[in-house]
Amino acid sequence: MFKKPFAEFIGTFILVFFGVGSAVLMGDLIGFHGIAMAFGLSIVAAAYGIGAISGAHLNPAVSLGFLTSGQMPVNQFISHVIAQIAGAIVGALVIYMIASGRAGYDIAVNGLGANGWGTGYNGEYSLGAAFIFEFVATFFFVTVILGATGPGSVAGFAGLAIGLTLAGIHLVGINVTGVSVNPARSIGPALFVGGAAMSQLWLFIVAPLAGGALAGILHGAGLTRAD
């Protein structure tokens, strides 16, 4: 009972450490392309590292997709989500501790890789654009995950397919929202940054969960499933 949630905790920590860490510690040097690859590679690492234990969901929206597709019981969904959020918070804390070791770092000024939209955030996209992107991107992301791990998939390649998909999503959307598609990933940094990151957090919970739930429903109905 403890092993699967612990694997989700570790896996989500890896996601935040690689992805958010690349944005906070190396963003000026590697740019959006580098950050996108860091997020994608984090999924590859976690999928092959702990996927055999818990499925390496690392994301409440992914777990919700498995729940609504009929592949996960409610009690396991709850334990996964709690572990994922905890892993993201600890991952964000570690990145914050590292970033604080640099002279001149100020979380209020330099941030912590939190998601957002509107004036002063990346491309300054609207709330509507942010919601549409997060919903659609999460829907496709979870659809890929369910397909890559389901009947008819090529054995051994799920982690690579999922990681590349997340990298691609980041290449499309970092300038829009910083890319969440994962409530846990958004919750972790927002708790430390506060302010706008917290007031806008609802979107990065609602839109990904809605996209993930729809992907699961369609997969469960057989519309996006091989068998």
Side-chain angles (χ1 to χ4, degrees):
M1 291 295 293
F2 176 73
K3 196 171 183 178
K4 288 183 178 181
F6 185 67
E8 286 297 304
F9 173 89
I10 294 295
T12 312
F13 179 99
I14 291 171
L15 171 69
V16 172
F17 187 82
F18 274 50
V20 173
S22 70
V24 175
L25 306 177
M26 292 291 291
D28 292 342
L29 299 175
I30 62 177
F32 284 173
H33 287 78
I35 296 168
M37 290 307 301
F39 271 102
L41 289 171
S42 73
I43 293 292
V44 175
Y48 291 115
I50 54 95
I53 301 172
S54 68
H57 295 180
L58 323 181
N59 181 340
V62 173
S63 294
L64 183 59
F66 276 85
L67 177 67
T68 57
S69 68
Q71 300 181 63
M72 173 178 276
V74 174
N75 63 332
Q76 187 177 352
F77 167 74
I78 293 172
S79 65
H80 265 47
V81 170
I82 293 172
Q84 290 156 2
I85 294 173
I89 293 172
V90 175
L93 173 61
V94 170
I95 294 301
Y96 180 36
M97 292 170 65
I98 296 170
S100 298
R102 187 183 71 193
Y105 173 79
D106 183 345
I107 193 169
V109 176
N110 304 110
L112 195 65
N115 298 113
W117 74 82
T119 303
Y121 190 91
N122 289 355
E124 301 190 337
Y125 283 79
S126 68
L127 184 159
F131 195 98
I132 292 169
F133 170 78
E134 290 294 331
F135 174 81
V136 172
T138 308
F139 169 78
F140 286 130
F141 185 45
V142 177
T143 296
V144 168
I145 292 170
L146 291 169
T149 58
S153 60
V154 180
F157 284 89
L160 185 60
I162 296 165
L164 289 175
T165 300
L166 186 61
I169 287 171
H170 277 76
L171 289 174
V172 174
I174 290 183
N175 203 37
V176 182
T177 64
V179 181
S180 170
V181 300
N182 182 340
R185 172 263 183 270
S186 297
I187 290 170
L191 289 177
F192 296 98
V193 176
M198 282 298 293
S199 67
Q200 295 182 347
L201 181 60
W202 66 269
L203 186 148
F204 303 107
I205 295 174
V206 174
L209 288 179
L214 179 60
I217 290 169
L218 295 182
H219 187 85
L223 296 176
T224 58
R225 194 177 67 233
D227 63 337

